[in-house]
Amino acid sequence: MPAQQRRGRPVWFPRLTVRGGMFLVTGAPLLLYSLVSNQRDLLFVACLLLVVPVVAVAYVSVRPVRLQVTRTFHPPVVAAGGETTVALTLCNLSSRAVTGLRWRDAAPEALAVPPGATLPGLDRFEGGAADGADTVHLDYRVTPRRRGVYPCGPALIGQPDPFGLTVGEWTVGEPQDLVVTPRVTDLAGRGLESVRGDGEVPERLRHVHHNSDQLIAREYRPGDQLRRVNWPATARHGEIMVRQEEEQSKPRARLVFDTALHGRRKRMPGPGGHQVLRHDPAFDVAVELVASVGAHLLEAGYQLDLIELGPGRLAPASARAGGGLRGDPGDVRELVFREPGEVRSLLVLLAGIEPPDPDESADPDEPPDPDEPADTHEPAATPGPASAAGATRPADAAGATGRPRMPLSPLGRMLPTFAVLVDIDAQDTDELAHLASRSRSSVAFVLDPMNPESVARLRDAGWRCVRLQTARDIPGAWVAAVGERQAADDGA
């Protein structure tokens, strides 16, 4: 999983080339030998070899050149594995012409930007058109393989001395973010073919009530579109009435995403000998699955409620709260996507999400040894009559993992519910089991790190659990999920 890249401006500092280093390596011992042997000619040569690199460093340290750079991406948002073009425009703001400079773009290794190249000569600043002789247009292509938000830039301008002994490099411009969204896998069917959302409600009402204008009309509210005005009902009531059926006929689904990873965390060797979290590969698959299911439902005309199973990571920092299924009562926990055109917004939010740090999700009493038999998953307590009736839990009670329990947030009407689970703990399992009773149908896509006890508990609560390990399993998992739903509907 690509981490959010650090932003940092490269430090400008002149450095010696190989030729400049050879001048110093040769001049230093020659100076000592000339002093010992009292040979003035050698002393002059030694001093020359030592002084010239110093003068060259002073030469490149003076930066009379002023440049301005603008950077654009075409397209500005690209899917992982796709190609985008980075276009730069450099303008010379100095009063003299510029030649002999080199340029390169600073970027993370994942973008694989091309190495430095010679910058074409620029005339002195003219202040005219953007394509004048004082301006040059450069571009290169990148193909990011993994999702993330990558800072591209600033541009690095290098100035060598005439003798090639030193080179100075300084930054021009500011970094800009290239958004790389997760891959979207095409899923079979259109939406939830066998599962009706709210779209069947108006049709049932028409069969029961012949005079449906009285039933489905409501008073006008600020923000309602004029095309929803119900003129016959408006004439009868003497005030503006709008058709309620158009709002009810919009199918709707709920998608729960495990962004907290409250379950047991393990470590495994990563590339280069680094340690990576066991959940990172599975979390990346989960992000791609959420993107695929969300895009599939939105493009089919569904309204999507996206809920995080933990502290908000998708919403902007100013709007984050306690979590999707927990938090203060009355807080809005879901991100709502209403139109097919909002697929891009969903993918952009998923582009930069990262798994939590170990200290954010791991039990503080968990032993660090991954081979330790101790397990933070504890058997879930049998729900009593209060929990079976939907009573909220006390906020000051401790859960099975030692984390404070928070009351379940009100999730509104019963909807078809999907859950993408990476690794949950006993408390998350209890809350999802309770959510199944508040859902029209429940399907959980279970990733490899999930604890078998949690999966069994969810199945007992009514969840249909579909396992998958890699992104290649997504199409088959979706077919299995929708097929099971269809069989259940037919049996009902």
Side-chain angles (χ1 to χ4, degrees):
M1 162 66 203
Q4 185 80 9
Q5 305 294 335
R6 292 185 177 180
R7 299 179 179 274
R9 295 176 62 89
V11 178
W12 175 87
F13 190 81
R15 64 182 185 274
L16 293 173
T17 62
V18 176
R19 183 183 302 174
M22 291 300 296
F23 270 52
L24 294 181
V25 170
T26 305
L30 191 59
L31 176 63
L32 295 177
Y33 178 76
S34 63
L35 293 176
V36 172
S37 61
N38 195 23
Q39 298 186 32
R40 295 186 177 182
D41 295 339
L42 288 179
L43 179 61
F44 173 78
V45 174
C47 292
L48 183 63
L49 291 175
L50 295 175
V51 171
V52 170
V54 176
V55 174
V57 168
Y59 174 83
V60 299
S61 299
V62 179
R63 293 176 289 164
V65 179
R66 292 189 301 120
L67 299 177
Q68 181 185 50
V69 62
T70 57
R71 181 184 295 100
T72 56
F73 304 105
H74 305 285
V77 178
V78 62
E83 185 180 77
T84 186
T85 300
V86 184
L88 295 89
T89 301
L90 281 85
C91 179
N92 179 21
L93 303 181
S94 305
S95 58
R96 66 180 182 86
V98 173
T99 58
L101 300 183
R102 295 185 61 84
W103 76 278
R104 64 185 179 95
D105 225 1
E109 293 182 1
L111 293 184
V113 299
T118 301
L119 184 69
L122 300 173
D123 285 352
R124 62 183 180 85
F125 179 63
E126 298 176 352
D131 55 352
D134 61 348
T135 302
V136 63
H137 301 279
L138 308 169
D139 64 79
Y140 61 91
R141 297 180 180 180
V142 294
T143 305
R145 299 298 178 185
R146 308 182 70 183
R147 67 175 180 87
V149 181
Y150 298 96
C152 190
L156 299 176
I157 305 299
Q159 179 182 7
D161 70 280
F163 301 103
L165 301 178
T166 59
V167 60
E169 201 172 56
W170 68 93
T171 61
V172 179
E174 297 293 335
Q176 292 176 268
D177 287 337
L178 173 61
V179 179
V180 182
T181 61
R183 293 180 178 89
V184 175
T185 302
D186 293 332
L187 303 180
R190 176 173 175 81
L192 307 177
E193 295 176 338
S194 61
V195 181
R196 292 183 178 269
D198 294 333
E200 63 182 355
V201 175
E203 189 64 29
R204 290 183 178 180
L205 293 178
R206 292 191 188 95
H207 286 293
V208 177
H209 302 276
H210 299 287
N211 187 10
S212 61
D213 286 339
Q214 294 282 352
L215 180 64
I216 63 178
R218 62 165 174 80
E219 68 279 2
Y220 172 83
R221 298 172 186 169
D224 288 333
Q225 300 179 4
L226 291 179
R227 63 184 177 86
R228 292 185 176 180
V229 174
N230 189 324
W231 297 111
T234 299
R236 285 192 296 270
H237 290 273
E239 59 178 336
I240 298 179
M241 307 292 289
V242 296
R243 292 191 297 273
Q244 179 77 7
E245 65 173 271
E246 292 196 15
E247 293 184 340
Q248 292 178 331
S249 62
K250 180 79 172 178
R252 191 170 179 177
R254 180 186 297 128
L255 182 57
V256 180
F257 184 18
D258 177 19
T259 59
L261 311 185
H262 285 137
R264 180 182 66 239
R265 300 180 70 85
K266 293 184 177 180
R267 290 183 175 269
M268 62 181 182
H274 299 288
Q275 293 288 317
V276 297
L277 293 175
R278 178 179 179 232
H279 300 80
D280 285 357
F283 189 82
D284 228 18
V285 175
V287 172
E288 185 169 335
L289 177 58
V290 171
S292 302
V293 174
H296 179 77
L297 295 177
L298 287 172
E299 290 172 353
Y302 281 75
Q303 175 174 312
L304 180 66
D305 296 351
L306 180 58
I307 305 171
E308 298 180 66
L309 192 63
R313 294 178 175 274
L314 290 172
S318 59
R320 292 181 181 178
L325 298 181
R326 288 183 287 273
D328 298 332
D331 285 347
V332 178
R333 296 300 172 201
E334 60 268 9
L335 296 173
V336 181
F337 302 88
R338 295 182 172 85
E339 302 295 337
E342 297 186 23
V343 171
R344 176 170 172 173
S345 300
L346 170 65
L347 298 180
V348 169
L349 288 177
L350 293 172
I353 189 172
E354 303 174 2
D357 294 331
D359 55 355
E360 294 182 41
S361 57
D363 190 341
D365 298 327
E366 179 184 357
D369 184 5
D371 296 326
E372 184 70 26
D375 192 346
T376 57
H377 288 81
E378 298 182 6
T382 303
S387 62
T392 58
R393 304 170 182 175
D396 57 350
T401 59
R403 293 182 284 109
R405 290 189 182 275
M406 302 298 290
L408 285 175
S409 300
L411 296 178
R413 67 187 72 179
M414 297 181 65
L415 301 174
T417 301
F418 296 91
V420 178
L421 307 178
V422 182
D423 197 351
I424 60 176
D425 62 5
Q427 179 179 343
D428 294 330
T429 305
D430 290 343
E431 291 169 349
L432 287 170
H434 181 60
L435 178 62
S437 63
R438 300 161 62 181
S439 304
R440 177 164 299 180
S441 57
S442 307
V443 175
F445 296 99
V446 178
L447 276 297
D448 185 52
M450 276 285 292
N451 185 286
E453 294 181 3
S454 298
V455 177
R457 170 85 168 94
L458 293 177
R459 285 198 175 103
D460 294 340
W463 284 86
R464 160 65 182 169
C465 296
V466 181
R467 279 195 173 274
L468 70 161
Q469 293 182 336
T470 66
R472 293 189 297 269
D473 301 331
I474 292 178
W478 175 256
V479 171
V482 175
E484 288 292 332
R485 294 164 68 95
Q486 185 173 5
D489 291 347
D490 294 342

